[in-house]
Amino acid sequence: MIQNNKIKERRLERLQNTILDIFNHTLKYEIYNKEIKMASFTYVKLSPDKINATIYVDTFKRDQIDRVVETLNESVSVFRRALAENLESRKIPNIIFRKDESIDRALYIENLLKK
């Protein structure tokens, strides 16, 4: 039973990495919007049933991240098409782009430690 769970976790992790690769490729070669080009996909979190995929986004210009995430969510069809063309799966997950706040948290903790 435990080994079966590990196999499922590995499959899910492999699928998340594949989705991340597809999105990064799409961003690099198929997107021409300058606002979206500022994005950097940091990681993918798939729901256990693989119906929803949350894509965490970061940008070099932190003050524009909210607008970039909003634009990505408006352009989700481009990324769904890329998944449909490149992912060997019967169902394509719903895509939700979110701001990656891990960097903000790390900077906050670093500032606390400096005090």
Side-chain angles (χ1 to χ4, degrees):
M1 188 81 136
I2 294 172
Q3 192 171 22
N4 196 16
N5 286 339
K6 286 184 180 182
I7 292 171
K8 286 181 182 180
E9 287 175 16
R10 281 191 212 128
R11 284 182 187 160
L12 190 64
E13 186 177 329
R14 205 169 39 234
L15 184 56
Q16 291 174 157
N17 289 335
T18 301
I19 291 171
L20 186 62
D21 289 343
I22 291 169
F23 276 34
N24 283 322
H25 182 271
T26 302
L27 182 66
K28 186 173 182 179
Y29 296 108
E30 297 179 29
I31 300 292
Y32 301 103
N33 182 317
K34 290 181 182 179
E35 201 166 67
I36 295 176
K37 282 281 195 184
M38 289 192 301
S40 173
F41 302 122
T42 53
Y43 64 99
V44 174
K45 178 72 174 163
L46 270 173
S47 61
D49 57 6
K50 300 175 191 158
I51 290 177
N52 296 308
T54 304
I55 316 303
Y56 290 89
V57 180
D58 195 15
T59 60
F60 297 113
K61 297 181 179 181
R62 301 292 295 162
D63 59 328
Q64 295 181 0
I65 191 164
D66 292 326
R67 180 67 189 134
V68 170
V69 170
E70 184 180 324
T71 306
L72 281 165
N73 281 313
E74 292 169 359
S75 307
V76 75
S77 61
V78 174
F79 293 96
R80 279 188 60 85
R81 182 180 42 80
L83 282 182
E85 291 173 356
N86 297 294
L87 196 63
E88 295 178 12
S89 178
R90 284 183 235 148
K91 293 184 180 180
I92 302 303
N94 299 319
I95 301 166
I96 304 161
F97 292 101
R98 301 231 173 165
K99 174 182 173 181
D100 184 359
E101 297 178 347
S102 62
I103 293 173
D104 294 334
R105 280 188 241 128
L107 291 172
Y108 175 75
I109 291 170
E110 185 177 322
N111 288 334
L112 285 177
L113 292 174
K114 285 182 180 179
K115 291 181 180 180

